[in-house]
Amino acid sequence: MNDRLATWLLPLTVFILALTGWEALVVIKGIEPYILPAPSLIAKTIVNDWGVLAASLWVTLKMTFAAILLAIAGGAALAILFSQWKWVERSFFPFAVILQVTPIIAIAPLLLVYLEPNTAVLVCAFIVAFFPILANTALGLASADHNLVDLFDLYRASRWQQLLYLRLPSALPYFLGGIRIGGGLALIGAIVAELAAGASGQATGLAFRIVEAGYRLNIPRMFAALVLISLTGIAIFLFFSALSHVMLGRWHDSARTREQ
Amino acid sequence: MSAPIVSLRDVSKSFASGTLALDRLQLDVGAGEFLTLLGPSGCGKSTALRLIADLLEPTSGAVDWRSGQRPELGFVFQEPTLMPWANVFDNIWLPLRLRRISRANAQKNIEEALSLVGLRDFANAYPRELSGGMKMRVSLARALVLEPAILLLDEPFAALDEITRLKLNDDVLRLQQELRMTVVFVTHSVYESVYLSSRICVFSARPGRVIETINIEAPGQRTTEFRHSQAYADYCRRASAALESTLAKATA
Ligand SMILES: Nc1ncnc2c1ncn2[C@@H]1O[C@H](COP(=O)(O)OP(=O)(O)O)[C@@H](O)[C@H]1O
Ligand SMILES: [Mg+2]
């Protein structure tokens, strides 16, 4: 059996075994669904409640992806400004750090005071996704090979040429790494803000469904929403991993499997 | 030596760290010669080369070009220093691209440079698909694509295996003769310096100065025959003795 098969087969087997164990436990012990629903019931709930859940999923997805796009644009743009003008970096980097180290769960209620709930969710998701993209891209722009920098100087390249032909390509793997982290965090930020908004807002994302289902002791639906959130996170991760693989293609170590 | 294409006059270089790398270095590079800077590691050879290339400013003294300004210049680093995201063709395009010459207009020059180093069939390969020697050839082709008047090489083949290094040495010699370039070659290998050069400047240990100049008079092509000759052995002995004397002083 080859390695590639094992990387898929092993975790899949463990996963199926765990689900089977869970299902068996619920059936054998006769556990009530409002205490612990069986996987099959969760699956059924996803199907039966699809109308409500899909609408919420759509809301959360929209927020998350809008935040990711804003964070990519903002993070990359600011990183480029940092790399071109040291004083911009000195002036703004501390604020980026403050935003990063202050727990988003503590910022969310405040944002909800000032902003309309949907905007607050978007801003929360943006804040958490923004920093890793900024930090990674800035690092990448600064890590161009010193000899290549010399070579560009030797040919009297302009700053603009150096940015375009050297610094940006050098930063690409770092940037993509930042997006992969930021993408996952954007979902977390969105969920946190939705939770903080709770029943007060009109926001009807997946986290709101969890809160709402909790009030009604509809535990299977809580699990169903949770499963959808996890799947969204996995999809985001896989999407950006694939993107990174395609974009780095033939040149970067991370995108190539070692020849055996 | 023919009239110098560039002269280093009383060039000193100290770094911010306080290291004095070069102390009042006097060095003339003759037009068309193959000059090797030979010296112990850390003596300031790379610093001298980077001063010539205008990648560093001298702390005092001057780098004077015969033409009044730095002519077209090629530089080969110890590492191949290729852009990993670009294929061979685009790596060689770089110097032309920085002169705002389009890919299409650069094509002829790039293909010529590729032929010079024997890599015509690898235009579309990416650096990581090449062997160490091939990467070095790409680096050489890139340095040659602007048809420089002077080529600077900083221990370019030190990391390669013996056989590849000998092959590349012959290639550099052939290119120098074909293209009638001035070459300044940095190495810490006595054998390499004698085999390649028309003149060797032996550097003292840091701070670097030229302690001995050896003119190599070897008529005709440098070949294995030259490597096995008595003259070759004598030159090697002389260069080694100069190196040993400076090392003895440094450790004394
Ligand atoms: N950018 C730098 N900053 C500080 N010290 C340097 C720098 N570059 C070289 N040096 C020092 O200058 C001396 C000469 O270096 P170098 O020219 O690289 O020697 P070589 O090429 O002969 O081995 C060394 O002691 C080295 O540590
Ligand atoms: Mg050196």
Side-chain angles (χ1 to χ4, degrees), chain A residues 145 147-148 150-158 161-162 165-167 169-170 250-253 256, chain B residues 50 53-55 70 73 75 77 79 81-82 84-85 94-95 97-98 100 124 126 128-129 142 146:
Chain A
D145 180 337
N147 282 334
L148 275 173
D150 276 348
L151 196 77
F152 274 67
D153 283 346
L154 187 81
Y155 292 119
R156 312 224 192 280
S158 67
Q161 287 177 321
Q162 196 182 91
Y165 303 146
L166 177 59
R167 299 214 177 261
S170 301
R250 277 167 90 182
W251 71 273
H252 202 257
D253 286 336
R256 292 173 60 104
Chain B
R50 295 160 60 84
D54 197 20
L55 291 171
R70 201 195 75 182
L73 182 148
F75 202 114
F77 299 91
E79 293 85 35
T81 314
L82 303 176
W85 56 84
L94 179 73
R97 190 181 199 192
L98 293 175
R100 300 186 169 76
N124 293 318
Y126 279 77
R128 59 160 301 147
E129 296 162 355
R142 180 181 59 192
L146 287 180

Side-chain angles (χ1 to χ4, degrees), chain B residues 1-231:
Chain B
M1 191 188 81
S2 54
I5 177 171
V6 60
S7 306
L8 278 64
R9 299 194 204 287
D10 278 320
V11 167
S12 300
K13 178 69 193 177
S14 54
F15 289 103
S17 59
T19 308
L20 180 62
L22 296 173
D23 186 20
R24 282 165 292 146
L25 175 69
Q26 303 284 356
L27 185 72
D28 287 331
V29 181
E33 78 171 329
F34 196 121
L35 173 67
T36 293
L37 311 182
L38 172 69
S41 152
C43 72
K45 304 181 296 292
S46 297
T47 304
L49 219 54
R50 295 160 60 84
L51 282 161
I52 296 175
D54 197 20
L55 291 171
L56 283 178
E57 288 281 318
T59 310
S60 65
V63 178
D64 289 334
W65 290 95
R66 186 177 58 184
S67 55
Q69 57 175 351
R70 201 195 75 182
E72 205 63 75
L73 182 148
F75 202 114
V76 178
F77 299 91
Q78 183 164 349
E79 293 85 35
T81 314
L82 303 176
M83 301 181 291
W85 56 84
N87 63 19
V88 166
F89 188 95
D90 287 345
N91 264 287
I92 299 174
W93 177 30
L94 179 73
L96 296 154
R97 190 181 199 192
L98 293 175
R99 298 273 148 90
R100 300 186 169 76
I101 296 170
S102 73
R103 215 165 179 276
N105 287 337
Q107 176 139 7
K108 199 171 132 286
N109 290 337
I110 296 171
E111 279 169 3
E112 270 169 27
L114 278 171
S115 305
L116 282 176
V117 299
L119 282 181
R120 277 205 84 115
D121 297 338
F122 292 88
N124 293 318
Y126 279 77
R128 59 160 301 147
E129 296 162 355
L130 304 176
S131 69
M134 287 158 92
K135 279 185 226 172
M136 230 44 239
R137 283 171 196 279
V138 178
S139 189
L140 202 54
R142 180 181 59 192
L144 296 175
V145 76
L146 287 180
E147 298 172 10
I150 178 165
L151 179 65
L152 311 180
L153 303 106
D154 190 357
E155 304 200 37
F157 312 136
L160 301 179
D161 63 273
E162 185 82 13
I163 296 179
T164 311
R165 187 165 66 227
L166 295 182
K167 178 81 185 61
L168 278 161
N169 280 344
D170 285 335
D171 285 341
V172 168
L173 273 176
R174 174 178 54 79
L175 288 169
Q176 191 234 354
Q177 274 152 20
E178 266 178 42
L179 307 173
R180 303 179 182 288
M181 278 180 304
T182 307
V183 173
V184 184
F185 190 96
V186 163
T187 182
H188 56 246
S189 159
V190 168
Y191 307 105
E192 200 171 49
S193 69
V194 172
Y195 185 67
L196 293 173
S197 325
S198 49
R199 195 162 65 98
I200 302 175
C201 286
V202 183
F203 272 49
S204 67
R206 190 166 58 86
R209 286 178 306 105
V210 179
I211 50 168
E212 181 154 352
T213 301
I214 303 171
N215 289 305
I216 312 277
E217 321 273 349
Q221 277 283 333
R222 306 285 166 110
T223 55
T224 318
E225 220 168 293
F226 175 55
R227 265 209 186 90
H228 294 155
S229 71
Q230 184 59 42

